């Protein structure tokens, strides 16, 4: 039995880091097992190290595969499409798509908001209360402030249970949608971006914020412009916390560093010097992943200096409560509760000139960071990198260079219009092989 992507035709398996997959018998050609096994390897389910696949996982050209046998029948074609663009066929769905025409089905799936999805929407409303909550409301509901100081064991235990509950609820919602959603291509595509722009539920407050990130970043922009998806991710507290940008601050000047060192052994340290001593300095984690994993790819003509300079650009990109408190509980004069979200902390931002990827950037500010993220989203290397990853995800491990170039051109020509990019891949000649 070969690992398959179908969640409807088999016993569901838990996913790792919000990635999901399951195993089921092949409903199409045995010669296309490589696609399913590749997807299983990518998502970390159903594949064991060293497993003999009989050579089926080796990359092959489209031309080589076209000579393997007779052309697919209409039914086999639809099964092939559904195997790649859904989490499995429901009873009668193959006949339904045959009658509609698989191209029509795909075009409908490329506009998921036009497809009624009552069962999933009812489930999300009744079972997943966080789905329409703000980040502040999620914190107040799942991580309420302790009523005593220090907190009692009961309060600690309750908070731990809530933390596990919201993590589990996101996993359950992800699995439910993959099984029952009428918008199957949306689920497949969101799975791609969940991996590409991944966060870790286990880190700090990300466990509470991952649910909001799923709804307001991945699902909101997966069928929009890549620039909007990337910028929304860059400014979401879940990403800022996960990759430590929330603590990244301008480095101390030589003079400031000397002052800190001068007072290290003294008993009476001025408040201003203590503040300097608490400053953690520059953190490059997010800047590096933004270039290497989210946009340009590895070894794309940028240097360690570019990473450092980008980290300086992004200093001050943090998150906080709108009232400046440690936990937003008190209402304002109008009865409104504080909100939680992105915050540009000017006091720790590096305002000096910078140079990123050969471009001179004068001064600093929040807008400078937005400009650089947008520039990375539209870079020619980003078009190639994202297009190649999508071709690998939707077709094969080693897509043809001609296809990647064609899809990258669509990416550039449409300013990163993601549905157009998906369409270029799905309606390419390579997709059927």
């Amino acid at each position: 039995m070969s690992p398959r992507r179908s969640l409807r035709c088999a016993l569901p398996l838990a996913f790792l880091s919000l990635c999901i997959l399951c195993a089921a018998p092949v409903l199409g050609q045995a010669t296309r097992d490589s696609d399913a096994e590749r997807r299983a390897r990518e998502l970390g389910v159903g594949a064991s190290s060293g497993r003999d696949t009989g050579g089926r996982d080796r990359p092959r050209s489209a031309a080589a595969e076209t000579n393997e046998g007779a052309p697919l029948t209409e039914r086999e074609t639809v099964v092939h499409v559904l195997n790649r663009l859904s989490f499995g066929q429901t009873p009668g769905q193959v006949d339904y798509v045959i009658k509609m025409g698989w191209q029509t089905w795909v075009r409908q799936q490329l506009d998921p908001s036009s497809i009624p999805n009552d069962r999933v929407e009812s489930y999300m409303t009744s079972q997943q209360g966080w789905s329409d909550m703000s980040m502040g409301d999620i914190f107040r509901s799942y991580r309420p402030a302790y009523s005593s100081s220090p907190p009692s064991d009961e309060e600690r235990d309750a908070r731990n249970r809530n933390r596990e509950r919201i993590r589990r609820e996101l996993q359950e919602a992800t699995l439910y949608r993959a099984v029952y959603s009428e918008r199957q291509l949306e689920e497949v595509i969101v799975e791609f971006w969940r991996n590409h722009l991944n966060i870790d539920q286990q880190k700090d407050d990300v466990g509470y914020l991952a649910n909001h990130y799923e709804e307001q970043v991945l699902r909101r922009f997966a069928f929009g412009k890549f620039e909007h998806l990337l910028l929304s991710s860059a400014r979401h507290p879940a990403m800022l916390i996960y990759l430590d940008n929330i603590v990244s601050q301008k480095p101390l000047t030589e003079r400031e560093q000397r002052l800190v060192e001068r007072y290290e052994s003294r008993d009476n340290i001025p408040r201003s010097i203590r503040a300097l001593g608490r400053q953690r300095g520059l953190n490059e984690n997010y800047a590096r992943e933004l270039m290497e994993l989210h946009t340009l790819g590895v070894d794309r003509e940028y240097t360690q200096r570019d990473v450092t300079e980008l980290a300086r650009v992004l200093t001050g990109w943090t998150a906080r409560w709108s009232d400046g408190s440690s936990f937003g509980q008190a209402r304002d004069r109008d009865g409104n509760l504080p909100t939680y979200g992105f915050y540009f902390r000017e006091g720790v931002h590096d305002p000096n000139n910078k140079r990123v990827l050969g471009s001179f950037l004068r001064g600093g500010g929040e807008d400078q960071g937005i400009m650089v993220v947008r520039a990375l989203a539209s870079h020619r290397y980003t078009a190639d990198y994202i297009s190649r990853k999508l071709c690998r995800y939707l077709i094969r491990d080693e897509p043809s260079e001609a296809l990647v170039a064609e899809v990258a051109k669509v990416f550039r020509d449409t300013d990163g219009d993601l549905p157009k990019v998906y369409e270029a891949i799905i309606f390419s000649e390579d997709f059927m092989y």
Side-chain angles (χ1 to χ4, degrees), residues 126-196:
S126 61
Q127 303 296 321
Q128 307 291 344
W130 51 263
S131 61
D132 60 356
M133 284 185 183
S134 67
M135 285 182 278
D137 287 340
I138 288 175
F139 274 128
R140 283 184 284 263
S141 297
Y142 289 86
R143 199 204 65 180
Y146 291 131
S147 59
S148 59
S149 182
S152 65
D153 291 341
E154 290 77 10
E155 285 184 305
R156 292 182 188 276
D157 290 343
R159 177 172 288 191
N160 289 335
R161 287 194 298 272
N162 278 340
R163 184 184 180 92
E164 289 307 312
R165 179 163 65 95
I166 195 169
R167 288 175 180 170
R168 185 179 65 252
E169 286 175 352
L170 179 54
Q171 295 169 4
E172 292 169 350
T174 302
L175 186 60
Y176 190 94
R177 281 165 152 163
V179 174
Y180 294 112
S181 179
E182 299 296 329
R183 305 167 181 175
Q184 280 292 296
L185 179 58
E186 178 181 43
E187 298 309 311
V188 171
I189 292 298
V190 168
E191 178 67 26
F192 172 86
W193 293 115
R194 195 181 286 126
N195 176 274
H196 184 81

Side-chain angles (χ1 to χ4, degrees), residues 196 287-304 306-307 357 376 379 381-386 388-389 392:
H196 184 81
R288 179 171 288 104
E289 294 220 2
L290 179 59
M291 283 186 168
E292 288 188 357
L293 301 180
H294 298 174
T295 57
L296 306 178
V298 179
D299 298 329
R300 289 300 187 98
E301 299 181 11
Y302 57 87
T303 65
Q304 172 59 38
D306 289 313
V307 173
L357 298 176
L376 288 171
H379 198 283
Y381 285 155
T382 300
D384 175 79
Y385 179 59
I386 299 299
R388 187 177 300 275
K389 281 194 70 173
R392 284 174 172 169

Side-chain angles (χ1 to χ4, degrees), residues 242-255:
Y242 171 51
L243 291 176
D244 304 310
N245 205 84
I246 198 167
V247 297
S248 185
Q249 303 180 16
K250 61 183 178 182
L252 296 178
T253 65
E254 291 183 6
R255 176 182 173 277

Side-chain angles (χ1 to χ4, degrees), residues 15-153:
F15 58 84
L16 177 63
S17 296
L18 301 184
C19 293
I20 58 176
L21 191 67
C22 71
V26 177
L27 297 180
Q29 300 284 64
T31 57
R32 285 170 175 77
D33 284 352
S34 59
D35 174 64
E37 295 187 9
R38 172 186 60 77
R39 194 65 60 85
R41 291 198 312 277
E42 286 182 353
L43 301 184
V45 179
S48 59
S49 60
R51 181 171 53 83
D52 182 11
T53 62
R56 289 174 298 180
D57 290 332
R58 297 167 188 163
R60 296 172 290 178
S61 67
E65 290 192 340
T66 59
N67 296 323
E68 287 187 351
L72 296 178
T73 65
E74 186 177 33
R75 177 170 292 274
E76 290 169 339
T77 296
V78 168
V79 169
H80 177 80
V81 170
L82 292 176
N83 279 348
R84 285 190 168 176
L85 303 183
S86 77
F87 281 102
Q89 306 91 44
T90 55
Q93 188 179 25
V94 173
D95 290 330
Y96 172 77
V97 176
I98 288 175
K99 184 177 180 180
M100 174 189 291
W102 73 266
Q103 296 94 336
T104 301
W105 182 83
V106 167
R107 289 193 173 92
Q108 185 183 63
Q109 291 288 315
L110 284 166
D111 183 17
S113 63
S114 69
I115 304 172
N117 209 19
D118 295 343
R119 181 170 183 172
V120 167
E121 290 173 1
S122 176
Y123 167 80
M124 294 301 296
T125 299
S126 61
Q127 303 296 321
Q128 307 291 344
W130 51 263
S131 61
D132 60 356
M133 284 185 183
S134 67
M135 285 182 278
D137 287 340
I138 288 175
F139 274 128
R140 283 184 284 263
S141 297
Y142 289 86
R143 199 204 65 180
Y146 291 131
S147 59
S148 59
S149 182
S152 65
D153 291 341

